[in-house]
Amino acid sequence: AIAAHPTHVMLSAASLARRHVGAALWSPSARAASASASFSSLVDVSPREFCDVLKSETAHARGFVMFDRAAQEVKAFPAALEPLGNAVRDSFPDYVNHEGMFFQVSESSDTLMSAFLHDTRRGQAAGGIRLWSYDAMKPLITDGLRLSLGMGRKSALAGLWWGGGKGIIHRTDELEEPHTSARRSVYHDFGRFLTSLRGCYVGAEDVGTTPADMQHVFERTRFTTCIPPSFGGSGNPSPATALGVVCAMEAALDAKALGSLEGKVVAMQGSGNVAIYMIEDLLERYALANVFMSLANAFMPLANIFMSLANAFM
């Protein structure tokens, strides 16, 4: 399923790494100089502390970890990140022959931006840009690994010539509110970050990121999808995602000869963007009364859900 596209051409890992940090910074002497301290416990530091490492170890507050499959080696810049790469390769269960991890501190704030590539042999890595908060680097990296792996597998199963990728922006207090200048600046920075990867990763909307945020990414890079329709894009992917989940539920029932969703009880954990559209789809298709919700995401407005429930039984 992960066979390479016959016409697909990608930059080599070393070439992409040189472009990401600059040829001068990639030199062996520069890498050796950055190994003056040991950072073997980088998985346990906070994203803010990780930003401090990147700023102290590099001239441009950025770095990468590449996994050379052929040589079975970890290549990192700065060299202080090499123990982190070894820890990921040797002890993270969600590491499955990933190609690399890229990190950069936002120019407009001390926000950590990251991109994870699973496999680009089928095509450019594609996946959403997640805005989420993390107490330490370990859960952030775990999310990046598992979600990029999932995107690659889904594309392969669907027969699409895309690889698996994931972008993560660590959410800080200044990014909580939408439509602020601080938030706009960080998404502009992420757009420039995407451009620096030369198209190996194409970003899209994901948890915490809105169509307006994707507009700001698009203003700084062409390597993005899910931009607002007013800019010629497809907009919010949540309705299509929700419909896909409902269809998958129907297919699973059919495969087990258990009939349709009619009369079934559906438990929903959370009421985020996808869940709301799923509930609407279920009500529209089946006038389903037995939709139980665990409101794990209480910050989401429930007016639309209650309106759909009311309309279904009017």
Side-chain angles (χ1 to χ4, degrees), residues 1-11 69 96-99 117-125 152 156 160-164 200:
I2 308 293
H5 191 295
T7 62
H8 182 60
V9 178
M10 290 299 300
L11 294 170
R69 294 174 179 145
V96 185
N97 292 321
H98 284 68
E99 292 181 0
L117 277 63
H118 172 237
D119 196 313
T120 56
R121 287 177 293 176
R122 288 185 62 88
Q124 294 163 285
L160 302 176
W161 293 110
W162 289 97
C200 279

Side-chain angles (χ1 to χ4, degrees), residues 189-276:
D189 290 343
F190 197 89
R192 284 187 284 265
F193 175 53
L194 280 177
T195 296
S196 75
L197 299 180
R198 301 298 197 272
C200 279
Y201 165 54
V202 178
E205 188 180 339
D206 195 29
V207 174
T209 296
T210 68
D213 296 325
M214 293 310 303
Q215 173 187 329
H216 300 318
V217 174
F218 179 62
E219 289 169 353
R220 294 296 182 270
T221 187
R222 62 188 177 92
F223 300 117
T224 184
T225 60
C226 297
I227 59 177
S230 59
F231 284 78
S234 57
N236 185 358
S238 298
T241 304
L243 179 60
V245 176
V246 173
C247 290
M249 294 163 63
E250 293 171 328
L253 288 171
D254 183 67
K256 293 293 185 179
L258 294 175
S260 73
L261 281 167
E262 190 73 44
K264 302 293 191 300
V265 175
V266 179
M268 304 288 293
Q269 182 177 10
S271 57
N273 289 334
V274 174
I276 287 177

Side-chain angles (χ1 to χ4, degrees), residues 4-312:
H5 191 295
T7 62
H8 182 60
V9 178
M10 290 299 300
L11 294 170
S12 68
S15 175
L16 177 59
R18 289 191 185 96
R19 288 169 180 254
H20 182 63
V21 300
L25 293 177
W26 172 251
S27 67
S29 59
R31 294 181 65 201
S34 69
S36 58
S38 172
F39 294 98
S40 59
S41 61
L42 279 178
V43 294
D44 299 319
V45 304
S46 70
R48 179 78 69 179
E49 292 169 326
F50 191 83
C51 287
D52 292 338
V53 171
L54 293 177
K55 289 189 293 183
S56 66
E57 291 287 309
T58 71
H60 300 290
R62 61 196 310 180
F64 66 85
V65 174
M66 304 291 293
F67 302 100
D68 189 328
R69 294 174 179 145
Q72 291 296 301
E73 293 179 349
V74 171
K75 299 179 179 179
F77 179 88
L81 298 189
E82 192 165 324
L84 173 65
N86 289 325
V88 169
R89 180 191 61 186
D90 298 337
S91 61
F92 276 56
D94 293 292
Y95 168 76
V96 185
N97 292 321
H98 284 68
E99 292 181 0
M101 309 182 297
F102 293 84
F103 306 98
Q104 182 165 351
V105 181
S106 167
E107 295 179 9
S108 60
S109 69
D110 280 338
T111 302
L112 180 63
M113 307 180 298
S114 55
F116 296 80
L117 277 63
H118 172 237
D119 196 313
T120 56
R121 287 177 293 176
R122 288 185 62 88
Q124 294 163 285
I129 303 167
R130 174 163 295 205
L131 178 66
W132 203 252
S133 59
Y134 299 89
D135 294 330
M137 288 301 297
K138 185 173 183 178
L140 186 153
I141 293 172
T142 296
D143 264 3
L145 293 174
R146 70 178 182 85
L147 295 168
S148 60
L149 172 64
M151 287 302 301
R153 286 176 170 173
K154 285 189 287 187
S155 292
L157 287 169
L160 302 176
W161 293 110
W162 289 97
K166 198 66 184 180
I168 296 179
I169 301 173
H170 178 244
R171 188 176 66 201
T172 56
D173 292 342
E174 64 181 351
L175 302 180
E176 292 288 348
E177 296 297 325
H179 311 300
T180 62
S181 59
R183 184 166 172 135
R184 180 173 61 251
S185 295
V186 168
Y187 277 95
H188 278 163
D189 290 343
F190 197 89
R192 284 187 284 265
F193 175 53
L194 280 177
T195 296
S196 75
L197 299 180
R198 301 298 197 272
C200 279
Y201 165 54
V202 178
E205 188 180 339
D206 195 29
V207 174
T209 296
T210 68
D213 296 325
M214 293 310 303
Q215 173 187 329
H216 300 318
V217 174
F218 179 62
E219 289 169 353
R220 294 296 182 270
T221 187
R222 62 188 177 92
F223 300 117
T224 184
T225 60
C226 297
I227 59 177
S230 59
F231 284 78
S234 57
N236 185 358
S238 298
T241 304
L243 179 60
V245 176
V246 173
C247 290
M249 294 163 63
E250 293 171 328
L253 288 171
D254 183 67
K256 293 293 185 179
L258 294 175
S260 73
L261 281 167
E262 190 73 44
K264 302 293 191 300
V265 175
V266 179
M268 304 288 293
Q269 182 177 10
S271 57
N273 289 334
V274 174
I276 287 177
Y277 287 108
M278 278 186 63
I279 293 168
E280 291 179 351
D281 285 341
L282 290 168
L283 292 171
E284 181 179 344
R285 287 166 174 250
Y286 301 102
L288 212 59
N290 293 322
V291 178
F292 291 89
M293 295 180 299
S294 169
L295 302 182
N297 299 323
F299 58 87
M300 290 298 298
L302 303 179
N304 291 339
I305 295 176
F306 295 138
M307 184 64 70
S308 296
L309 285 168
N311 291 336

